[in-house]
Amino acid sequence: MMTDTGRVGLQSNEPDAPGSAAPPRQYPSGSEMGLATEQSSNSISGEDFDYGDLFFPLEPDFWAAADAAGSGQSEAPVTDQSGAETPQVAVSRKRRSSFDDDGFFEDYNRVTKARRLEFVPQYIVKSSTSRQGNLQLKALEWLGSPAKGLFDDTYGAILSRWGVQREHTGTCVLVPEAWSSLDPTLLMRLFSPEKCPTIDFARLAYRYADHTSTFARALTWFQQWPRRGIDLDNFLGYGPFTPIDASHLCHHNHCIVHIAYEGSHVNQDRRQCIEQARSLRTNRMAVPANCDKHQPPCLLQHASLTTLEAYCVQFAVLAKAKGLPFKQVARPQRHRYSTFESQIPCSTNFTAVSVTSTELRASNEFTTVRRKPDLVCPYCNRIRAMRTVTGLWGHIFHKHSDVDDASRLAEMRRTGVLWREYLIDYYPYNVNEGNITIRRLNQLQKADVSWDVVVAWNLRGS
């Protein structure tokens, strides 16, 4: 320990001897505080820095007077004319009583920021690849309020399309990337057990500025706001921090509702809970709503639903919200449980899998905006949509060569008409022969168009 030179540090734990002066105050060295002893960016080392200045930047004469007053050897008045403590002595007593070993770091954190010494960890980060000269950090825009505002609007629009409010948590809202551009009511008409997405379907993605993430992970980022720069580094996987995952509490990886932002080790540990839920239901035992091992808890009743059951329940909620008829799906032959859940309320005692009328949303935020055409491949066994018409054409050309050329050409012409109308409404300034997509659309409109024209396009597969 270093001897006091006039500034207060840690108070001695030894009791004062009767009639003796108070022992000199001491403050910790840099090594005792656990701080690095290397030279920091301001060329002050942890060992040599005067931590008395760091903790309480007051004049030495003030502390000497206060200490003397506390020991009975007053060099300054202890009380005023009314008998009350002088302000200086009151401040000294308050700080001395609270500045013990237990409150050490609490007092340290209250120090004026201008006098606090910062030790920043050093690690490599990536520069933005979309900025000329790479003069900006990657994903820097994710810290701004415009990013959060846009995400909140996007999230609310997706939920409203599926017929639920933001507050809804009773059932899953599952949206794989292949369904992201499709109208949910169209999906409900096309859906069948054979076309149900599997767990290997790509998860919904979210792109903003120069960074793309899964939608679930982006949701956890914008749920807590505002964010710090060091949070962004951890979010992107930089630095010596614990890896953070977007955990699905319901254990359905396409869900965008039941998400928690937590360490990877916690996310991996949750796998035990889904096995427990499945085992209980297989043995026809009651499945509790939540687990008692994690916080926030795993949703065991949701986790025990198969992927097909979760999608069926989701479509039942959509039909109820929009007032549409819903055709109940029959129990598959290879279903793992004795009961099959495909509607709300569930037939078994699953009280946590539910929806209330206040959580439903009948209107759609897209009612005044014309959306992109639903570009669904008619030849795939599962429901697969493309974001652009050229992507659909390339998929049909390369992935479905078993279909006759005349049928494929007719499908390309049909979707070409829909896409042309969409471009005229949204991008009329770009509808010209300089656009390669427009040139192809014009070729498809000709009565004598043949499959050889499509072959000459050299479309990319998907």
Side-chain angles (χ1 to χ4, degrees):
M1 300 286 287
M2 300 176 63
T3 307
D4 182 33
T5 57
R7 300 174 183 83
V8 70
L10 283 177
Q11 184 175 358
S12 172
N13 291 327
E14 298 294 331
D16 295 346
S20 64
R25 294 188 176 279
Q26 297 177 319
Y27 55 85
S29 67
S31 60
E32 290 171 318
M33 287 187 63
L35 299 176
T37 58
E38 302 84 46
Q39 289 295 111
S40 64
S41 58
N42 56 5
S43 300
I44 299 177
S45 70
E47 287 288 353
D48 298 333
F49 185 70
D50 189 341
Y51 285 101
D53 274 335
L54 179 63
F55 294 143
F56 302 120
L58 299 178
E59 293 300 324
D61 293 341
F62 167 78
W63 292 110
D67 286 343
S71 64
Q73 302 176 359
S74 176
E75 298 179 11
V78 178
T79 61
D80 57 20
Q81 294 180 352
S82 63
E85 288 181 323
T86 60
Q88 284 185 331
V89 173
V91 170
S92 175
R93 177 179 54 78
K94 182 178 180 180
R95 287 192 182 270
R96 292 176 65 179
S97 63
S98 64
F99 195 62
D100 53 15
D101 289 340
D102 293 335
F104 176 80
F105 287 104
E106 179 181 354
D107 278 12
Y108 170 74
N109 288 332
R110 289 200 297 264
V111 177
T112 305
K113 290 183 179 180
R115 303 299 298 273
R116 185 182 298 170
L117 185 63
E118 298 290 349
F119 293 90
V120 180
Q122 302 294 319
Y123 48 85
I124 297 176
V125 298
K126 290 184 179 180
S127 299
S128 173
T129 57
S130 63
R131 301 286 177 178
Q132 186 175 6
N134 295 336
L135 300 179
Q136 179 173 298
L137 295 177
K138 180 179 176 63
L140 186 62
E141 288 88 349
W142 283 61
L143 290 170
S145 56
K148 176 171 174 54
L150 179 60
F151 181 86
D152 288 346
D153 292 344
T154 303
Y155 186 49
I158 293 175
L159 294 180
S160 70
R161 291 170 60 191
W162 285 98
V164 294
Q165 305 277 9
R166 290 175 181 266
E167 300 78 16
H168 173 70
T169 58
T171 62
C172 293
V173 177
L174 305 111
V175 187
E177 179 66 20
W179 286 13
S180 59
S181 61
L182 293 178
D183 183 1
T185 56
L186 172 63
L187 288 168
M188 184 170 62
R189 294 195 300 270
L190 298 177
F191 185 78
S192 66
E194 296 75 21
K195 295 185 177 181
C196 179
T198 56
I199 59 174
D200 59 333
F201 267 49
R203 302 184 186 186
L204 182 63
Y206 181 77
R207 178 177 178 85
Y208 182 76
D210 59 349
H211 181 63
T212 301
S213 168
T214 63
F215 195 92
R217 189 170 175 84
L219 174 63
T220 60
W221 170 259
F222 290 111
Q223 277 179 334
Q224 301 178 18
W225 202 260
R227 289 287 194 174
R228 304 168 300 174
I230 200 169
D231 296 328
L232 181 62
D233 292 339
N234 194 10
F235 179 74
L236 298 176
Y238 308 146
F241 309 112
T242 301
I244 302 296
D245 288 346
S247 299
H248 290 79
L249 306 180
C250 59
H251 295 269
H252 293 286
N253 62 355
H254 293 144
C255 181
I256 58 172
V257 174
H258 307 119
I259 314 294
Y261 194 53
E262 59 189 10
S264 297
H265 62 288
V266 180
N267 187 19
Q268 296 300 318
D269 189 61
R270 289 182 182 273
R271 293 185 177 181
Q272 302 177 21
C273 294
I274 187 174
E275 297 301 328
Q276 175 192 3
R278 289 173 176 173
S279 176
L280 290 173
R281 188 177 173 192
T282 300
N283 293 295
R284 303 184 183 184
M285 300 173 65
V287 180
N290 303 320
C291 77
D292 56 2
K293 184 178 182 181
H294 303 103
Q295 284 298 329
C298 295
L299 307 177
L300 298 185
Q301 292 182 3
H302 294 77
S304 69
L305 296 176
T306 65
T307 301
L308 176 59
E309 287 178 314
Y311 274 99
C312 288
V313 169
Q314 175 174 330
F315 283 121
V317 172
L318 174 65
K320 186 174 183 180
K322 306 296 184 181
L324 300 174
F326 174 66
K327 182 180 179 180
Q328 186 173 347
V329 177
R331 181 182 182 276
Q333 291 184 352
R334 295 186 178 181
H335 186 61
R336 69 171 68 185
Y337 303 121
S338 59
T339 59
F340 179 70
E341 307 299 339
S342 62
Q343 57 185 348
I344 287 290
C346 295
S347 58
T348 53
N349 190 23
F350 280 6
T351 57
V353 183
S354 61
V355 63
T356 63
S357 58
T358 58
E359 295 175 332
L360 297 177
R361 185 185 183 94
S363 61
N364 193 325
E365 293 186 18
F366 287 90
T367 52
T368 59
V369 179
R370 180 170 181 178
R371 299 175 55 249
K372 288 184 178 180
D374 294 321
L375 303 175
V376 182
C377 176
Y379 308 117
C380 284
N381 294 329
R382 301 188 186 276
I383 303 174
R384 180 166 183 175
M386 307 296 169
R387 292 185 177 274
T388 64
V389 72
T390 53
L392 176 64
W393 292 343
H395 171 78
I396 292 176
F397 183 87
H398 291 280
K399 300 296 183 180
H400 298 287
S401 56
D402 55 325
V403 181
D404 63 274
D405 296 344
S407 298
R408 289 190 289 172
L409 180 61
E411 179 63 19
M412 290 182 180
R413 298 188 67 181
R414 184 189 71 83
T415 54
V417 172
L418 298 176
W419 193 255
R420 184 183 182 86
E421 293 176 352
Y422 165 74
L423 292 179
I424 292 175
D425 288 347
Y426 271 87
Y427 308 101
Y429 54 86
N430 203 26
V431 181
N432 55 69
E433 286 292 332
N435 188 314
I436 187 173
T437 302
I438 295 299
R439 291 201 301 269
R440 291 172 176 173
L441 291 173
N442 291 339
Q443 288 178 304
L444 286 176
Q445 284 187 328
K446 296 180 180 179
D448 59 346
V449 64
S450 65
W451 184 249
D452 293 335
V453 174
V454 176
V455 173
W457 289 347
N458 293 322
L459 295 168
R460 295 181 180 181
S462 61

